[in-house]
Amino acid sequence: MNKKVLVTGGLGFIGSHTVVALQKEGFEVIIIDNLSNSSIDVLGGITKITGTTPEFENIDLRDKQAVKRFFEKYTEIDGVIHFAASKAVGESVEKPLLYYENNISSLVYLLQELNERESANFIFSSSCTVYGQADKLPITEDAPVKKAESPYGNTKQIGEEIIQDICKVSPQLKAISLRYFNPIGAHPSADIGELPIGTPQNLVPFITQTAIGKRDELSVFGDDYPTEDGTAIRDYIHVLDLAEAHVHALKRLLQNNEKSNYEVFNLGTGQGNSVLEVIKAFEGSTGEKLPYKIVGRREGDITAAYADTTKANQELKWKAERSLEEALSSAWKWQLEVKKREEEDN
Ligand code: WQD
């Protein structure tokens, strides 16, 4: 009997790629998504890649009774991977209550149901943003968590603390927080990828939309950072590597290999790249020329972040294998596909 996994936010960018990786490993997947930041078409993209359509429930996790009814209907869930959350840093500053309500109450309602069960395996989508500007690079999991720069980042910190607190008193609940660095790229089939709504906040979708002509030019937010070329450094990880890490984390819990019932892992490549290096790598791997200009720093941005991946490599038996160039060319292939679909729709 295949193990059943609930993936909340499973029609989103990282969620959909993780659903594909789970199905490839033989897991049976049920998706909860309220389609607030995703499209039902993603279900078709997943099916095209794996040949299996996941079960889908259009539920808003802020609806406590709907969450309860879900777990009354699906009594055989072996693991939960929780992606569903609002994730735009800038928007969270404008609308903090929307972020606290959505990201925190959804998590609490899920955990309340799981806490009623004899055993539960829970994986939380967290972020390197909890570290702020780390004092030491590369960043290990025991680097101090710093005061969040945004309500979005705060919801990740609070989320981790909530999970830690419940795991302390519920040994039957086993949880892992995965702190993502910068996820980029798309499935090589270009059947699924990142679908930013409105103007992309993140670097790589802005790059691909500029290269395809949807944006005039990329604004590079600052070249006066204390780095080699003056632009900020991040750890860009291919979304497929990230998705596969979730399968490894889930297996760790299902096989009872965990060292404690609450663990944290950094998910990155261990390699840092500056904005200008990403632009150069994009041009090199796609042959496209990217128009850009240097502007002032973006409020809240840090100078540099890249992961120490030792713990995930050893404990999850997982390592990011794909290159920056591979991730960027997959993002570009996906952007070309999105353009083709838009032209077909018009
Ligand atoms: C990367 C670099 C920008 C856009 C955020 C969240 C993090 C996660 C990933 C959700 C920075 C520069 C960007 C642009 C630019 N989100 N940049 N021009 O800020 O590292 O991380 O997104 O889980 O939690 O904090 O990612 O892609 O926005 O920026 O120069 O138009 O690119 O200054 O140095 P970030 P990003």
Side-chain angles (χ1 to χ4, degrees):
M1 177 76 162
N2 290 345
K3 294 281 184 194
K4 266 193 177 184
V5 189
L6 164 61
V7 178
T8 73
L11 295 182
F13 172 40
I14 305 167
S16 56
H17 287 85
T18 302
V19 169
V20 166
L22 288 165
Q23 288 186 324
K24 282 189 182 289
E25 276 297 300
F27 288 98
E28 208 179 308
V29 177
I30 304 150
I31 291 173
I32 282 181
D33 203 301
N34 69 357
L35 301 174
S36 62
N37 191 23
S38 56
S39 155
I40 194 67
D41 298 344
V42 174
L43 214 47
I46 293 169
T47 307
K48 202 157 161 244
I49 295 168
T50 64
T52 308
T53 303
E55 287 183 77
F56 170 64
E57 297 277 356
N58 182 345
I59 293 172
D60 189 321
L61 294 172
R62 289 171 294 190
D63 179 344
K64 184 182 168 84
Q65 292 314 313
V67 175
K68 193 173 190 62
R69 283 195 299 275
F70 174 87
F71 283 96
E72 284 162 358
K73 177 177 173 185
Y74 294 95
T75 52
E76 303 302 318
I77 300 276
D78 298 295
V80 177
I81 305 182
H82 179 45
F83 292 102
S86 305
K87 63 164 194 171
V89 175
E91 182 189 46
S92 78
V93 175
E94 304 303 318
K95 303 174 185 168
L97 289 179
L98 182 145
Y99 274 69
Y100 288 117
E101 186 203 29
N102 188 34
N103 294 6
I104 303 300
S105 62
S106 303
L107 173 64
V108 169
Y109 296 154
L110 271 177
L111 290 171
Q112 284 174 330
E113 293 307 318
L114 294 179
N115 197 36
E116 296 303 307
R117 292 165 165 255
E118 267 163 44
S119 73
N121 299 302
F122 187 73
I123 292 173
F124 179 61
S125 168
S126 190
S127 167
C128 65
T129 204
V130 302
Y131 297 115
Q133 177 55 69
D135 301 325
K136 226 161 92 358
L137 294 171
I139 305 174
T140 59
E141 286 82 356
D142 50 16
V145 168
K146 290 194 175 171
K147 168 109 185 65
E149 303 270 345
S150 69
Y152 159 75
N154 206 20
T155 65
K156 290 302 177 185
Q157 288 180 5
I158 296 168
E160 288 192 5
E161 286 164 13
I162 291 170
I163 298 164
Q164 201 167 17
D165 286 346
I166 186 66
C167 284
K168 272 186 198 135
V169 292
S170 298
Q172 85 285 359
L173 173 57
K174 304 192 297 177
I176 288 176
S177 285
L178 297 176
R179 291 172 177 168
Y180 310 153
F181 279 68
N182 287 60
I184 62 168
H187 192 273
S189 65
D191 289 325
I192 55 174
E194 196 167 3
L195 281 168
I197 294 176
T199 309
Q201 300 306 305
N202 295 131
L203 178 66
V204 171
F206 204 104
I207 285 179
T208 58
Q209 287 193 10
T210 301
I212 203 113
K214 211 168 173 172
R215 310 283 162 196
D216 295 338
E217 64 181 348
L218 170 75
S219 297
V220 173
F221 296 145
D223 68 346
D224 58 348
Y225 284 99
T227 61
E228 211 170 296
D229 64 18
T231 62
I233 291 170
R234 296 291 185 275
D235 183 333
Y236 296 95
I237 177 171
H238 197 302
V239 66
L240 265 69
D241 281 323
L242 194 61
E244 288 159 11
H246 289 75
V247 178
H248 286 250
L250 180 63
K251 282 181 167 178
R252 179 179 177 82
L253 294 176
L254 292 172
Q255 292 159 7
N256 299 310
N257 291 337
E258 71 284 346
K259 291 219 166 94
S260 86
N261 73 325
Y262 180 66
E263 295 178 306
V264 176
F265 294 96
N266 286 342
L267 296 184
T269 65
Q271 158 86 32
N273 284 107
S274 73
V275 177
L276 290 181
E277 284 172 341
V278 173
I279 293 170
K280 193 155 169 284
F282 177 79
E283 292 182 328
S285 56
T286 62
E288 297 295 324
K289 188 83 189 94
L290 192 87
Y292 69 88
K293 66 182 175 191
I294 307 286
V295 299
R297 294 185 181 190
R298 177 173 66 178
E299 184 67 27
D301 273 356
I302 58 168
T303 300
Y306 48 93
D308 178 316
T309 60
T310 313
K311 191 179 172 192
N313 300 155
Q314 289 175 353
E315 304 288 339
L316 297 184
K317 300 191 181 19
W318 164 88
K319 188 171 176 359
E321 302 295 348
R322 296 165 178 92
S323 68
L324 174 67
E325 288 72 16
E326 192 178 335
L328 292 168
S329 46
S330 70
W332 177 235
K333 188 178 169 194
W334 167 246
Q335 186 67 64
L336 290 166
E337 174 62 23
V338 167
K339 182 179 182 200
K340 190 161 119 314
R341 293 181 189 182
E342 284 168 350
E343 285 163 352
E344 283 163 3
D345 290 351
N346 294 340

